């Protein structure tokens, strides 16, 4: 939502004539004006539609009549102190502008559903954008271009979006022409002038530093302290300017900066509230795009003086995005400012806090700056919205394990009535939640129940999914476990079964489950977790952990070799494996991944695989492991995934859901992802996906265009096998799988 306090283009006085109002409507191009009393009270609204309706009822046209005779007195408005959600709820196709009134019913602003967007280089700053993080180098380069470049490197590596310098033409800036030896100056001024005389970069050196920023793909910005410096920076073509706290009361300079038509980032340190209001008025009159940074200009700023809650007041005072420029020690206040809504964060960066110069003392070291960036990004990810609460994928996983379900405590035939005393509440949470009990009572059973069976969502629906024989142009299978494969197999006609093993399955006696040989193919999906919370990781840095991963995967291969004798239509059985490469705190840099792929290939070479082919599963950026989330680094990017296959001769299981999540997170083309890994893919896991971690969703409930995907799959890999890998699809006799197959039969 955009709030516009520049009202001139929207208002007429009620006594003015209709012709004046029509001219205003034409000029503002919003098809509306607001009619005010002489004291500023909103008395009516006139749209072009109101004018046409009035015109139809006139016997003769007189455009000199007062607007008060034409305008609509029954209009929608909000108070300026109403919360944002209340105001936005008033917008509709018919109402695009909402007048905002103070409590005396005077018009103070106009709200529109447009976003108030400020663009600085490639960065867009609005209510939904991540914070623009500025590494303030200032004069911490101590006059050395080489040190400036090192600071640019460290800022880039720490995750900053921008580095900022300062430029002063001291001869024109200072009353004494910048004489560092002037004995008449105060001690503080003498100290600053002495530093500036020794530690400034020349304009040429500054431009070279800006060019180096461009080379490192980090945005260069600069604070001009005077008109000559501004003129120099204009010749370079700066995309935006930072306004120092010292210049917020320098109205002439503010106007000069506004004339550049560049976005201005304005610090408010050392200014009173009245002075801030004056600056805002100047910026608004100049129609400048600006961002106000809350700031306390002491070095270091005591925590008690920072008053981060003043961000709320700045929001009331201005119609601009807000930010925070911090001079306090540490990183916590900057992170808190983001939680308060700051969209720009500025903190000083140094290579060594013991270097000469006051700014070094309050600056962050590169590793501290990186920790701040990571904290900010974590807080931004955690902020969420005020929309209706939904259950995350991780919570759904834990709900199955930890919650409770409705189960039936007796046998019941299809068509018989479900009664209250037939229903018990037991763990785990695989079935209907207890709060749905009343929806079951009195219904006729849609299927036969055995005592101890779970009730599922389909039991309270009128239509039921019935499994049948399906027809596809490629081999297809069903995910199964030892205990349910026979039941599921009786219901349909898969070409193969894919056994998803748990680590406990590795110790089972196969003869207890398999009494015959099946005229089917076989695929095995390796466990990710093993006894003792051990997560398979063939590139673990810990040698003991890596060795155990090799041993566990070897066991999976041996079990697969034993399973093969029960399945006639399999010569070389695929074993689908998530090979590892996870981290717990953040993703690795691209340069770190090559070595890990090399270690995985070395680990795989130690496994005996006669009659079995290990295929790597493409992976999501944020996998769920028993309701917790990690960061995955390997087999996520299609480029290095394909390179691993080319270099080491392995093939892939292309998980469609995982691929889409990676594309969503990294903003890759999904079509191009599929094209890059297609030459190495021999098996498909098919499900929908949403966001960056919503995996295994039912077909059509996420963001995948399956018609487009199918065209790509049928062109690039027409004969490779697939399963519908729907999360919890096995429940209620494979209900989720049958639903997916119904939908996929139109495409594959």
């Amino acid at each position: 939502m955009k709030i516009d306090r520049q009202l001139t283009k929207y208002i007429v006085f009620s006594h003015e004539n209709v012709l004046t109002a029509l001219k205003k409507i034409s000029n503002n191009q919003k098809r509306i004006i607001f009619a005010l009393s002489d004291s500023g009270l909103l008395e009516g609204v006139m749209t072009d539609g109101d004018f046409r309706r009035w015109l139809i009822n006139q016997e003769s046209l007189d455009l000199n009549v007062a607007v008060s005779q034409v305008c609509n007195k029954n209009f929608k408005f909000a108070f300026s102190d109403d919360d944002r959600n209340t105001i936005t709820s008033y917008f509709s196709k018919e109402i695009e502008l909402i007048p905002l009134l103070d409590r005396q019913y005077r018009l103070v602003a106009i709200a529109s559903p447009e976003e108030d967007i400020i663009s600085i280089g490639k960065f867009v700053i609005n209510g939904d954008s991540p914070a623009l993080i500025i590494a303030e180098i200032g004069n911490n380069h101590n006059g050395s271009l080489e040190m400036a470049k090192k600071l640019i490197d460290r800022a880039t590596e720490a995750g900053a979006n921008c580095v900022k310098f300062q430029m002063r033409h001291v001869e024109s800036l200072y009353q004494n022409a910048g004489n560092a030896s002037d004995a008449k100056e105060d001690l503080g001024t003498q100290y600053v002038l002495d530093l500036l005389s020794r530690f400034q970069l020349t304009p040429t050196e500054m431009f070279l530093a800006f060019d180096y920023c461009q080379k490192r793909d980090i945005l260069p910005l600069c604070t001009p302290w005077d008109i000559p410096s501004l003129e120099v920076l204009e010749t370079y073509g700066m995309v935006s300017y930072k306004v120092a706290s010292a210049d917020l009361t320098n109205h002439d300079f503010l106007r000069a900066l506004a004339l550049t038509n560049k976005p201005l980032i304005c610090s408010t340190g050392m200014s009173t509230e009245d002075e801030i209001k004056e600056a805002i008025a100047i910026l608004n009159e100049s129609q400048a795009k600006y961002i106000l940074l809350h700031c306390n200009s002491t070095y270091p700023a005591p925590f008690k003086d920072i008053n981060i809650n003043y961000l709320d007041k700045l929001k009331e005072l201005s119609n601009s995005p807000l930010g925070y420029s911090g001079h306090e020690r540490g990183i916590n206040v900057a992170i808190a400012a983001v939680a308060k809504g700051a969209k720009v964060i500025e903190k000083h960066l140094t290579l060594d806090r013991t270097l000469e110069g006051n700014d070094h003392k309050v600056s962050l070291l590169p590793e501290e700056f990186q920790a701040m960036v990571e904290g900010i990004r974590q807080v931004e990810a955690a902020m969420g919205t005020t929309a209706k609460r939904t259950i995350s994928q991780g919570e759904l996983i834990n709900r199955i394990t930890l919650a409770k379900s409705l189960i039936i405590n007796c046998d019941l035939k299809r068509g018989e009535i479900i009664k209250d005393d037939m229903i018990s509440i037991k763990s785990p949470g695989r079935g209907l939640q207890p709060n749905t009990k009343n929806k079951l009572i009195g219904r006729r059973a849609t299927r036969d129940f055995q005592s101890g069976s779970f009730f599922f969502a389909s039991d309270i629906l009128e239509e039921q999914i019935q499994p049948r024989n399906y027809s596809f142009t490629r081999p297809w299978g069903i995910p199964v476990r030892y205990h349910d494969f026979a039941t599921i197999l009786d219901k349909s006609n898969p070409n193969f079964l894919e056994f998803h093993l748990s680590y406990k399955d590795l110790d089972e006696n196969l003869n207890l489950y398999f009494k015959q040989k099946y005229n089917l193919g076989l695929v095995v999906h390796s466990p990710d977790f093993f006894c003792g919370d051990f997560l398979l990781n063939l590139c673990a840095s810990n040698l003991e952990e890596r060795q155990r991963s090799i041993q566990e995967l070897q066991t999976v291969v041996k079990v697969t070799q034993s399973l093969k004798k029960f399945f006639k239509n399999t010569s070389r059985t695929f074993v689908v494996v998530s090979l590892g490469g996870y981290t717990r705190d953040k993703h690795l840099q691209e340069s770190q991944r090559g070595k890990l792929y090399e270690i995985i290939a070395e680990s795989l070479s130690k496994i005996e695989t006669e009659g079995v082919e290990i295929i790597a599963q493409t992976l999501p950026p944020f996998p769920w492991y028993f309701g917790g989330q990690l960061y995955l680094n390997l087999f996520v990017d299609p480029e290095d995934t394909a390179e691993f296959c080319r270099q080491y001769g392995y093939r892939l299981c292309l998980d469609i859901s995982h691929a889409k999540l990676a594309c969503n997170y990294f903003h890759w083309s999904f079509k191009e992802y599929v094209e890059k890994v297609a030459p190495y893919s021999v098996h498909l896991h098919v499900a929908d996906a949403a966001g960056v971690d919503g995996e295994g969703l039912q077909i059509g409930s996420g963001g995948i265009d399956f018609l487009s995907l199918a065209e790509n799959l049928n062109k690039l890999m027409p004969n490779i096998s697939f399963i519908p890998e729907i999360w919890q699809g096995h429940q209620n006799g494979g209900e989720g799988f049958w639903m997916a197959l119904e939908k996929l039969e139109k495409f594959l």
Side-chain angles (χ1 to χ4, degrees), residues 227-256:
I227 293 293
S229 296
L230 175 60
E231 291 172 347
V232 170
L233 292 170
E234 277 289 277
T235 66
Y236 184 82
M238 300 301 292
V239 298
S240 175
Y241 290 109
K242 170 69 195 304
V243 182
S245 291
D247 277 317
L248 199 71
T249 58
N250 187 351
H251 295 173
D252 289 344
F253 193 44
L254 284 181
R255 290 188 178 96

Side-chain angles (χ1 to χ4, degrees), residues 225-419:
W225 281 72
D226 44 70
I227 293 293
S229 296
L230 175 60
E231 291 172 347
V232 170
L233 292 170
E234 277 289 277
T235 66
Y236 184 82
M238 300 301 292
V239 298
S240 175
Y241 290 109
K242 170 69 195 304
V243 182
S245 291
D247 277 317
L248 199 71
T249 58
N250 187 351
H251 295 173
D252 289 344
F253 193 44
L254 284 181
R255 290 188 178 96
L257 286 161
L259 284 173
T260 68
N261 293 318
K262 309 288 178 61
L264 306 179
I265 303 173
C266 307
S267 281
T268 59
M270 304 186 295
S271 292
T272 67
E273 185 167 303
D274 286 341
E275 290 168 340
I276 292 170
K277 289 178 179 178
E278 290 174 356
I280 290 170
I282 296 293
L283 293 166
N284 286 341
E285 288 168 12
S286 304
Q287 297 189 349
K289 289 278 191 179
Y290 64 93
I291 299 165
L292 295 181
L293 304 189
H294 178 51
C295 178
N296 183 288
S297 297
T298 44
Y299 299 76
F303 293 116
K304 69 179 181 62
D305 294 340
I306 290 171
N307 190 18
I308 203 71
N309 279 329
Y310 196 72
L311 281 165
D312 295 334
K313 188 60 180 289
L314 281 179
K315 190 64 180 176
E316 292 178 20
L317 296 177
S318 75
N319 184 33
S320 77
L322 302 177
Y324 176 69
S325 177
H327 302 110
E328 73 288 337
R329 293 185 175 94
I331 66 176
N332 293 336
V333 175
I335 296 172
V338 172
K340 291 285 291 182
K343 292 299 178 180
V344 175
I345 294 293
E346 179 185 57
K347 286 281 283 184
H348 288 257
L349 178 68
T350 185
L351 301 177
D352 184 349
R353 273 196 286 264
T354 66
L355 292 173
E356 184 181 3
N358 198 41
D359 284 355
H360 289 290
K361 310 299 184 293
V362 298
S363 297
L364 298 177
L365 296 171
E367 58 271 20
E368 295 169 330
F369 202 99
Q370 182 175 352
M372 180 190 73
V373 172
E374 291 171 357
I376 286 171
R377 298 310 182 210
Q378 289 168 4
V379 165
E380 288 174 334
M383 289 299 291
T385 71
T386 57
K388 189 174 181 180
R389 192 188 194 281
T390 57
I391 303 174
S392 72
Q393 187 79 2
E395 285 184 306
L396 285 170
I397 294 170
N398 283 334
R399 182 152 139 163
I400 296 244
T401 305
L402 302 174
K404 298 174 182 178
S405 300
L406 300 177
I407 68 165
I408 193 165
N409 55 29
C410 61
D411 293 343
L412 191 70
K413 294 293 185 183
R414 180 177 179 177
E416 294 181 340
I417 300 296
I418 302 171
K419 299 178 181 177

Side-chain angles (χ1 to χ4, degrees), residues 537-541 543 546 579-581 588-604 633-635 640 643-644 647-648:
N537 187 6
L538 291 176
C539 59
S541 57
L543 190 58
R546 195 189 317 163
L579 293 171
L588 297 176
Q589 295 180 3
E590 184 178 353
S591 60
Q592 298 173 283
R593 302 199 296 249
K595 181 62 177 177
L596 297 183
Y597 278 117
E598 181 182 333
I599 295 171
I600 281 183
E602 180 185 350
S603 297
L604 287 172
N633 304 285
L634 307 185
F635 304 100
D640 58 41
E643 178 57 31
F644 172 82
Q647 186 171 353
Y648 299 108

Side-chain angles (χ1 to χ4, degrees), residues 393 620-622 624 629 656-665 687-698 700-704 706:
Q393 187 79 2
F622 302 101
W624 296 104
Q629 199 171 72
I656 297 300
S657 181
H658 293 170
K660 178 61 173 173
L661 296 177
C663 292
N664 289 350
Y665 180 69
D688 216 330
V692 299
D693 58 11
E695 62 178 275
L697 304 185
Q698 184 56 256
S701 62
I704 295 177
F706 278 92

